[in-house]
Coordinates of all heavy atoms in Angstrom, one line a residue:
I40 N 0.9 -1.2 -1.6 CA -0.5 -1.1 -1.8 C -1.0 0.4 -1.7 O -0.7 1.1 -0.8 CB -1.2 -1.8 -0.7 CG1 -0.8 -3.3 -0.5 CG2 -2.8 -1.8 -0.8 CD1 -1.5 -4.2 0.5
V41 N -1.8 0.7 -2.7 CA -2.6 2.0 -2.7 C -3.9 1.7 -2.2 O -4.7 1.1 -2.8 CB -2.6 2.6 -4.2 CG1 -3.4 3.9 -4.1 CG2 -1.2 2.8 -4.7
M42 N -4.1 2.1 -0.9 CA -5.3 1.8 -0.2 C -6.4 2.8 -0.7 O -6.4 3.9 -0.1 CB -5.1 1.9 1.3 CG -3.9 1.2 1.7 SD -3.6 1.3 3.6 CE -3.1 3.0 3.8
D43 N -7.1 2.5 -1.7 CA -7.9 3.5 -2.3 C -9.5 3.0 -2.2 O -9.7 1.8 -2.2 CB -7.6 3.7 -3.7 CG -8.1 5.0 -4.3 OD1 -8.6 5.9 -3.5 OD2 -8.1 5.2 -5.5
G44 N -10.4 4.0 -2.1 CA -11.9 3.7 -2.2 C -12.5 3.9 -0.9 O -13.7 3.6 -0.8
R47 N -15.6 6.3 -1.5 CA -16.8 5.7 -2.3 C -17.4 4.7 -1.5 O -18.6 4.5 -1.5 CB -16.2 5.2 -3.6 CG -16.0 6.2 -4.7 CD -15.2 5.7 -5.8 NE -13.8 5.8 -5.4 CZ -12.7 5.1 -6.0 NH1 -13.1 4.4 -7.1 NH2 -11.5 5.3 -5.6
Y85 N 0.4 3.3 0.9 CA 0.2 4.7 0.6 C -0.9 5.3 1.5 O -2.1 4.9 1.3 CB -0.2 4.8 -0.8 CG 0.1 6.1 -1.6 CD1 0.9 7.1 -1.0 CD2 -0.2 6.2 -2.9 CE1 1.2 8.3 -1.7 CE2 0.2 7.4 -3.6 CZ 0.9 8.4 -3.0 OH 1.3 9.5 -3.6
A86 N -0.5 6.1 2.4 CA -1.5 6.6 3.5 C -1.9 8.0 3.2 O -3.0 8.3 3.4 CB -0.9 6.4 4.9
F87 N -0.9 8.8 2.7 CA -1.3 10.2 2.4 C -0.2 10.7 1.4 O 1.0 10.8 1.7 CB -1.2 11.0 3.7 CG -1.8 12.4 3.6 CD1 -3.2 12.5 3.8 CD2 -1.1 13.5 3.3 CE1 -3.8 13.8 3.8 CE2 -1.6 14.7 3.2 CZ -3.0 14.9 3.5
S88 N -0.7 11.3 0.4 CA 0.2 11.7 -0.8 C 0.3 13.2 -0.6 O -0.4 13.9 0.0 CB -0.4 11.4 -2.1 OG -1.6 12.3 -2.4
E90 N -0.2 15.2 -2.7 CA -1.4 15.8 -3.4 C -2.7 15.8 -2.6 O -3.6 16.6 -2.8 CB -1.7 15.0 -4.7 CG -0.8 15.2 -5.9 CD 0.5 14.3 -5.6 OE1 0.6 13.3 -4.9 OE2 1.5 14.7 -6.2
N91 N -2.7 14.9 -1.6 CA -3.9 14.9 -0.6 C -4.0 16.2 0.2 O -5.2 16.3 0.8 CB -3.8 13.6 0.3 CG -4.1 12.3 -0.5 OD1 -3.5 11.3 -0.2 ND2 -4.9 12.4 -1.6
R94 N -7.3 18.2 -0.5 CA -8.6 17.8 -0.2 C -9.2 19.0 0.8 O -8.4 19.7 1.5 CB -8.6 16.5 0.5 CG -8.2 15.4 -0.4 CD -8.3 14.0 0.0 NE -8.1 13.0 -0.9 CZ -8.5 11.8 -0.9 NH1 -9.2 11.4 0.1 NH2 -8.2 10.9 -1.9
A159 N 3.8 5.4 3.7 CA 4.1 6.7 2.9 C 3.1 7.8 3.4 O 1.9 7.7 3.3 CB 3.7 6.3 1.4
R211 N -3.5 -2.0 -6.3 CA -4.4 -0.7 -6.0 C -5.8 -1.3 -5.8 O -6.3 -2.0 -6.8 CB -4.2 0.3 -7.0 CG -5.1 1.5 -6.7 CD -4.9 2.6 -7.7 NE -5.6 3.9 -7.2 CZ -5.2 5.1 -7.3 NH1 -4.1 5.4 -7.9 NH2 -5.9 6.1 -6.8
E215 N -9.4 1.8 -9.6 CA -8.6 2.9 -10.4 C -7.3 2.2 -10.9 O -6.6 1.4 -10.2 CB -8.2 4.0 -9.4 CG -9.4 4.7 -8.7 CD -10.4 5.3 -9.6 OE1 -10.1 5.4 -10.9 OE2 -11.4 5.8 -9.1
R217 N -4.2 3.4 -11.9 CA -3.1 4.4 -12.0 C -2.3 4.3 -10.7 O -2.7 3.8 -9.8 CB -3.6 5.9 -12.2 CG -4.6 6.3 -11.1 CD -5.0 7.8 -11.3 NE -6.1 8.1 -10.5 CZ -7.4 8.0 -10.7 NH1 -7.7 7.7 -12.0 NH2 -8.3 8.3 -9.9
T218 N -1.1 4.8 -10.9 CA -0.1 4.7 -9.7 C -0.3 5.9 -8.8 O 0.3 5.9 -7.7 CB 1.3 4.4 -10.2 OG1 1.6 5.5 -11.0 CG2 1.3 3.1 -11.0
S219 N -0.7 7.0 -9.4 CA -0.9 8.3 -8.6 C 0.5 8.6 -7.8 O 0.4 9.0 -6.6 CB -2.0 8.1 -7.5 OG -3.3 8.0 -8.2
Ligands
IPE302 C1 -3.7 7.8 -3.8 O1 -5.1 7.9 -3.8 C2 -3.3 8.2 -2.4 C3 -3.5 7.3 -1.3 C4 -4.2 6.2 -1.3 C5 -3.0 7.8 0.0 P1 -5.9 9.2 -4.2 O2 -7.4 8.7 -4.1 O3 -5.4 10.4 -3.5 O4 -5.5 9.2 -5.8 P2 -6.2 9.9 -7.1 O5 -6.7 11.1 -6.7 O6 -7.3 9.0 -7.4 O7 -5.1 9.7 -8.1

Side-chain angles (χ1 to χ4, degrees):
I40 305 183
V41 179
M42 313 181 285
D43 198 15
R47 278 163 284 165
Y85 208 2
F87 194 88
S88 73
E90 290 77 21
N91 287 148
R94 293 189 178 199
R211 182 173 187 147
E215 303 297 353
R217 55 176 169 268
T218 59
S219 298

